[in-house]
Amino acid sequence: MMKRPSYFIVSGIILLALLGLGSKLFGDPVGTLKWLLIIVAVTAIMIYVVKRFSGSSTAQSANQKAYRKAAKQSQKNQQLRNTSKPKDSNVVTYSFNHSKRKPKHRKKSDVQLTVIDGKKGKKKNRA
């Protein structure tokens, strides 16, 4: 199974990064931990700023709000249905609607189709 060269390049970069992080951790553990905390904090701030001020369209957020509202309403309706009908464990219900359905027969159309005079004798050029 042949893998793409980009797979090996990315794997090599990740391996070198882990090796460098490990050597830095053994050389100066406190400095490395400070460095990692600063990177995590800066990344979190950047993600927050991008999500907060990104050009997300108002239509998308409106659709999201409508979806959340519909989901909540559906959940409430489901809870009302479940609580309003107490089920007895002794009662068994059977549905015969599915087994007794007869296939629908379509009514034949009374439309008479007519041929429109056109280029009946001329053959198409299919080259």
Side-chain angles (χ1 to χ4, degrees):
M1 188 160 122
M2 293 294 294
K3 296 188 178 183
R4 289 189 244 170
S6 61
Y7 173 78
F8 294 112
I9 293 171
V10 171
S11 298
I13 290 172
I14 292 173
L15 183 65
L16 288 174
L18 290 175
L19 184 66
L21 184 63
S23 67
K24 190 169 183 173
L25 185 61
F26 284 120
D28 184 19
V30 176
T32 306
L33 290 177
K34 282 183 186 178
W35 177 68
L36 286 174
L37 287 174
I38 291 171
I39 288 177
V40 168
V42 169
T43 305
I45 291 171
M46 288 175 61
I47 289 173
Y48 173 75
V49 167
V50 167
K51 285 193 175 191
R52 178 79 173 153
F53 299 110
S54 68
S56 64
S57 66
T58 57
Q60 185 181 16
S61 62
N63 286 340
Q64 189 68 19
K65 285 181 184 178
Y67 173 76
R68 286 181 184 156
K69 183 178 177 183
K72 284 181 183 179
Q73 185 178 7
S74 175
Q75 189 176 18
K76 285 180 184 177
N77 288 341
Q78 187 70 26
Q79 288 175 351
L80 287 175
R81 272 190 248 138
N82 288 343
T83 58
S84 65
K85 293 182 182 179
K87 268 195 165 180
D88 293 335
S89 59
N90 297 339
V91 179
V92 178
T93 59
Y94 294 100
S95 176
F96 292 106
N97 292 338
H98 297 293
S99 61
K100 289 189 176 183
R101 283 188 186 167
K102 292 181 182 178
K104 293 182 180 179
H105 295 287
R106 290 190 179 182
K107 182 180 177 184
K108 289 188 178 181
S109 176
D110 294 335
V111 177
Q112 296 292 326
L113 300 176
T114 58
V115 176
I116 299 173
D117 291 332
K119 301 176 184 178
K120 290 186 233 175
K122 189 174 181 181
K123 292 188 176 185
K124 292 182 182 179
N125 185 6
R126 298 187 183 223

